Amino acid sequence: MTVDAALLESDRKARRAALDIARSYIVQAPAGSGKTELLIQRYLCLLGTVAEPEEVVAITFTRKAAAEMQLRVVEALERAQCGEKGSAPHEQITLQAANVILQRDAERGWRLRESPRRMRILTLDAFCSSITRLLPVSSGLGGAMTTVADAAMQRLYREAAAASLDWLAGDDARATALQRVLHHLDNNVTAFVEYLASMLMKRDQWLVLTGIGGGEDTDAVRKALEQTIEEQVSAQLRLVRAEFQRLATSEHLALLNYAGMNLEASRSEPHPLAQLVEMSWPGSGPDDVAVWRAIAGVLLKA
């Protein structure tokens, strides 16, 4: 057996195995390889085992894909009704399964060809919406729900962010935390709302880090996050220190130290630059941040 023949036989075995409805499968294959046809065949095989077609659910990501799959199932039933047998092996398998469903349809009075909507081939959003409509109390959502497009979701996220801003400002303890955040944003409330809305869009990526809802140790999570921030700060300070060591001279260091001592004398309080008495640039650890900030304060415009 040649390599090509062996590959084809392996492919046929995999396709036949995927039609075993007693088992679950993940099918991975490139575009145009017949994944949709295989899914239709498995769907038809499943229909042959149920009392009503609504008992089988096929879920896709887009309405276009759901409509295409439903159309192809109906076409298979129509071709089988017309007595077609199919020329290609995959067509023969599909039409054989369709013939079984036609018999089931006649026995149970499904009338799938006339009422294709009885086939539950849905998008993920539509499937979830159907559950909330069937279980209004258990879902906690009350009345009818509708899904919205991405553009509308962005508006809803901004509204939620603005509502969060009002909630934070309504309590002294929360307001203090809010003030610290706004301080870093130059009191730009619009930027705060946009940042929070952006975070809400990606909450699956960071929510677990906050320890909310997952039973995580919040102290441990906070420590891990602070450790990550310290590592990032230290990495940047190492780059800054290397540049100062490469470009600056001992005269620059002496001038900064002189400026620091004058600032310390004028304010009657310790000044970070006055620590540069040993004529060496500060390190890159968390304790060195204040000194680097002081250096930036002298060398840069406010």
Side-chain angles (χ1 to χ4, degrees), residues 10-293:
S10 175
D11 181 77
R12 282 192 289 268
K13 288 182 178 179
R15 292 174 187 271
R16 286 195 296 269
L19 296 181
D20 180 1
I21 60 175
R23 300 177 63 187
S24 299
Y25 291 91
I26 296 175
V27 177
Q28 295 176 304
S33 58
K35 295 190 296 295
T36 303
E37 183 79 16
L38 184 61
L39 183 59
I40 290 170
Q41 291 169 359
R42 186 173 172 89
Y43 178 77
L44 290 170
C45 290
L46 285 164
L47 280 181
T49 66
V50 297
E52 302 297 336
E54 289 84 359
E55 296 177 42
V56 181
V57 179
I59 298 176
T60 70
F61 285 104
T62 66
R63 295 177 182 176
K64 180 180 179 181
E68 178 189 358
M69 184 176 171
Q70 187 180 85
L71 177 63
R72 289 177 63 171
V73 171
V74 173
E75 286 179 346
L77 295 175
E78 293 288 353
R79 291 178 62 188
Q81 182 67 31
C82 294
E84 293 188 33
K85 302 299 181 183
S87 54
H90 67 87
E91 289 184 332
Q92 294 170 3
I93 294 173
T94 301
L95 292 173
Q96 288 171 5
N99 272 311
V100 173
I101 300 308
L102 288 176
Q103 295 175 8
R104 190 76 166 170
D105 187 302
E107 293 171 0
R108 305 289 304 182
W110 290 350
R111 301 177 64 83
L112 283 181
R113 289 182 299 140
E114 295 82 1
S115 305
R117 289 188 176 276
R118 294 197 64 185
M119 293 184 289
R120 301 195 68 194
I121 303 174
L122 310 168
T123 64
L124 183 59
D125 288 341
F127 175 66
C128 293
S129 296
S130 68
I131 293 176
T132 60
R133 287 194 297 270
L134 290 172
L135 305 170
V137 177
S138 300
S139 66
L141 297 175
M145 302 296 297
T146 58
T147 55
V148 296
D150 289 342
M153 284 300 297
Q154 293 174 7
R155 175 180 59 79
L156 294 176
Y157 284 133
R158 283 194 292 271
E159 291 179 1
S164 298
L165 177 65
D166 293 337
W167 177 78
L168 290 169
D171 176 83
D172 290 341
R174 296 194 297 261
T176 301
L178 176 62
Q179 288 173 0
R180 287 199 297 268
V181 175
L182 290 176
H183 175 72
H184 290 287
L185 299 176
D186 293 329
N187 289 321
N188 190 332
V189 175
T190 301
F192 173 87
V193 171
E194 290 298 327
Y195 282 137
L196 188 55
S198 178
M199 288 181 63
L200 288 173
M201 295 179 192
K202 304 172 183 177
R203 60 192 180 278
D204 60 306
Q205 300 176 17
W206 58 262
L207 197 58
V208 65
L209 299 178
T210 66
I212 296 176
E216 295 86 352
D217 183 347
T218 54
D219 291 336
V221 171
R222 180 187 179 93
K223 185 177 180 180
L225 290 174
E226 290 177 346
Q227 179 65 31
T228 300
I229 294 173
E230 288 181 3
E231 291 172 358
Q232 292 297 316
V233 170
S234 295
Q236 294 300 316
L237 289 183
R238 284 194 293 270
L239 295 176
V240 171
R241 192 175 193 275
E243 285 299 297
F244 270 81
Q245 289 177 320
R246 184 174 70 89
L247 298 175
T249 65
S250 58
E251 184 180 4
H252 294 102
L253 196 59
L255 289 172
L256 285 169
N257 176 246
Y258 178 73
M261 288 188 294
N262 287 335
L263 290 169
E264 185 172 275
S266 65
R267 298 180 182 181
S268 300
E269 60 184 20
H271 193 277
L273 288 180
Q275 300 176 22
L276 302 176
V277 291
E278 298 179 358
M279 296 298 127
S280 62
W281 297 107
S284 57
D287 297 335
D288 301 304
V289 173
V291 184
W292 283 113
R293 284 177 174 168

Side-chain angles (χ1 to χ4, degrees), residues 1-16:
M1 181 180 291
T2 65
V3 174
D4 289 344
L7 288 174
L8 288 173
E9 180 60 24
S10 175
D11 181 77
R12 282 192 289 268
K13 288 182 178 179
R15 292 174 187 271
R16 286 195 296 269

